[in-house]
Amino acid sequence: MQSSSVSKSNGVYHVQAEINVTPLVDVMLVLLIIFMVTAPMMAAGLHVSLPQARAAQKLDPKPPVVLTIARDGKVSLDGEELAPDRLVAAVEARIGDDKTQPVHLRADRDVSYGDVVIVMDQLASHGLTRLAILTGPPGKEEPPSAAGQGPRP
């Protein structure tokens, strides 16, 4: 096999139309090895020596209580609609004596701000102060729920 890309046979030059893939494979294997070696170093982060604590307590793996506030202002717990006067009692029955368990509020984006504050106030007035408002993932704007309505000002 000749090393040049042009070969001479019978006094006429012919262009060799074959592609030599061996150098390409060599380069790709070298790049693969480089990435395999450097990838764990980039993901490892900084090495720190963590201090020890004797009085630390493990976190309770209980799932949070999730209240859902629908567009019409109705509040539900695990799909069961609650009357406004039964809201606190149902949440307290769910969490028991542990008032530190978080309560997550999932409110429709079209719910009035006042409706969410009323639910939060009812819970906080009974000692349930670990409240969180759940939102959607960033960058994924949902279309308005009612046709022709944009976001509220």
Coordinates of all heavy atoms in Angstrom, one line a residue, residues 1 3 10 12 26 36 48 53 70 79 85-86 89 94 104 107 113 117 124 127 134 136 142 147 152:
M1 N 0.8 -1.2 0.0 CA 0.0 0.0 0.0 C 0.9 1.2 0.0 O 1.9 1.3 0.7 CB -0.9 0.0 1.2 CG -1.9 1.1 1.2 SD -3.2 0.6 2.4 CE -4.5 1.5 1.7
S3 N 1.9 5.2 0.6 CA 1.6 6.2 1.6 C 1.1 7.5 1.0 O 0.6 8.4 1.7 CB 2.9 6.5 2.4 OG 3.9 7.0 1.6
N10 N 1.1 2.9 -15.1 CA 1.2 3.1 -16.5 C 1.4 4.5 -17.0 O 0.9 5.0 -18.0 CB -0.1 2.5 -17.2 CG -0.3 1.1 -17.0 OD1 0.7 0.3 -16.7 ND2 -1.5 0.6 -17.1
V12 N 0.2 7.2 -15.8 CA -0.9 8.1 -15.6 C -1.1 8.2 -14.1 O -1.1 7.2 -13.4 CB -2.2 7.6 -16.2 CG1 -3.4 8.5 -16.0 CG2 -2.0 7.4 -17.7
D26 N -7.2 6.5 16.3 CA -6.2 6.8 17.3 C -6.5 8.1 18.1 O -6.5 8.1 19.3 CB -4.8 6.9 16.7 CG -4.3 5.6 16.1 OD1 -4.8 4.6 16.6 OD2 -3.4 5.6 15.3
M36 N -12.1 10.0 30.3 CA -12.3 9.1 31.3 C -11.5 9.4 32.6 O -11.9 9.1 33.7 CB -12.0 7.6 30.8 CG -13.1 7.1 29.9 SD -12.6 5.5 29.1 CE -12.4 4.5 30.5
V48 N -13.1 17.9 52.2 CA -13.2 18.6 53.5 C -13.2 17.5 54.6 O -13.8 16.4 54.4 CB -14.4 19.5 53.6 CG1 -14.2 20.7 52.6 CG2 -15.7 18.8 53.3
A53 N -20.2 15.6 65.7 CA -21.1 16.1 66.7 C -21.7 15.0 67.5 O -22.2 14.0 66.9 CB -22.1 17.0 66.0
A70 N -57.0 24.5 45.4 CA -57.5 24.5 44.0 C -57.8 26.0 43.5 O -57.9 26.9 44.3 CB -58.7 23.7 43.8
G79 N -56.2 14.6 48.3 CA -57.3 14.4 47.4 C -58.6 14.5 48.1 O -59.7 14.5 47.4
D85 N -63.3 24.8 58.5 CA -63.3 24.6 59.9 C -62.6 23.2 60.3 O -62.2 23.0 61.4 CB -64.7 24.7 60.5 CG -65.6 23.7 59.9 OD1 -65.4 23.2 58.8 OD2 -66.7 23.4 60.6
R86 N -62.4 22.3 59.3 CA -61.8 21.0 59.6 C -60.3 21.0 59.2 O -59.7 20.0 59.4 CB -62.5 19.9 58.8 CG -63.9 19.6 59.3 CD -64.0 18.5 60.3 NE -63.2 17.3 59.9 CZ -62.3 16.8 60.6 NH1 -62.0 17.2 61.8 NH2 -61.7 15.7 60.2
A89 N -57.7 20.6 62.1 CA -57.9 19.3 62.8 C -57.3 18.2 61.9 O -56.7 17.2 62.4 CB -59.3 19.1 63.1
R94 N -52.9 14.3 61.1 CA -51.9 13.7 60.2 C -50.5 13.7 60.8 O -49.8 12.7 60.8 CB -51.9 14.4 58.9 CG -50.9 13.9 57.9 CD -51.1 12.5 57.4 NE -52.4 12.3 56.8 CZ -52.7 12.5 55.6 NH1 -51.8 12.8 54.7 NH2 -53.9 12.3 55.1
H104 N -46.5 21.5 53.4 CA -46.3 22.1 52.1 C -47.6 22.5 51.5 O -48.6 21.7 51.5 CB -45.6 21.1 51.1 CG -44.2 20.7 51.5 ND1 -43.5 19.9 50.8 CD2 -43.4 21.2 52.6 CE1 -42.3 19.8 51.4 NE2 -42.2 20.5 52.5
A107 N -50.5 25.6 45.8 CA -51.7 26.4 45.3 C -51.6 26.6 43.8 O -50.5 26.8 43.3 CB -51.6 27.8 46.1
Y113 N -54.0 35.4 46.3 CA -53.0 35.5 47.4 C -53.6 35.5 48.7 O -53.1 34.8 49.7 CB -52.2 36.8 47.1 CG -51.1 37.0 48.1 CD1 -50.0 36.2 48.1 CD2 -51.2 38.0 49.1 CE1 -48.9 36.4 49.0 CE2 -50.2 38.3 50.0 CZ -49.0 37.4 49.9 OH -48.0 37.7 50.8
V117 N -52.9 33.0 52.1 CA -52.6 33.6 53.4 C -53.6 33.2 54.5 O -53.2 32.9 55.6 CB -52.5 35.2 53.3 CG1 -52.4 35.8 54.7 CG2 -51.4 35.6 52.4
A124 N -50.8 28.5 61.2 CA -49.8 29.2 62.1 C -50.4 29.5 63.4 O -49.8 29.5 64.5 CB -49.2 30.4 61.5
G127 N -50.0 26.7 65.9 CA -48.6 26.3 66.2 C -47.9 25.5 65.0 O -46.8 25.0 65.2
L134 N -44.9 25.4 47.6 CA -44.3 24.7 46.5 C -44.5 25.4 45.2 O -45.6 26.0 44.9 CB -44.9 23.3 46.4 CG -44.8 22.4 47.6 CD1 -45.4 21.0 47.4 CD2 -43.3 22.2 48.0
G136 N -43.3 25.3 40.8 CA -42.9 24.4 39.7 C -41.4 24.6 39.4 O -40.8 25.5 39.9
E142 N -45.9 27.5 32.7 CA -47.1 26.8 32.3 C -48.0 27.8 31.6 O -48.0 29.0 31.9 CB -47.8 26.2 33.5 CG -47.1 25.1 34.2 CD -47.9 24.5 35.3 OE1 -49.1 24.8 35.5 OE2 -47.3 23.8 36.1
A147 N -58.5 30.3 29.1 CA -58.2 30.8 27.8 C -58.2 32.3 27.7 O -59.2 32.9 28.2 CB -59.2 30.2 26.8
R152 N -51.5 37.3 36.3 CA -52.1 38.4 37.0 C -51.1 39.4 37.4 O -50.0 39.1 37.7 CB -52.8 37.9 38.3 CG -54.0 37.0 38.0 CD -54.7 36.7 39.3 NE -55.9 35.9 38.9 CZ -56.7 35.4 39.8 NH1 -56.6 35.7 41.1 NH2 -57.7 34.7 39.5

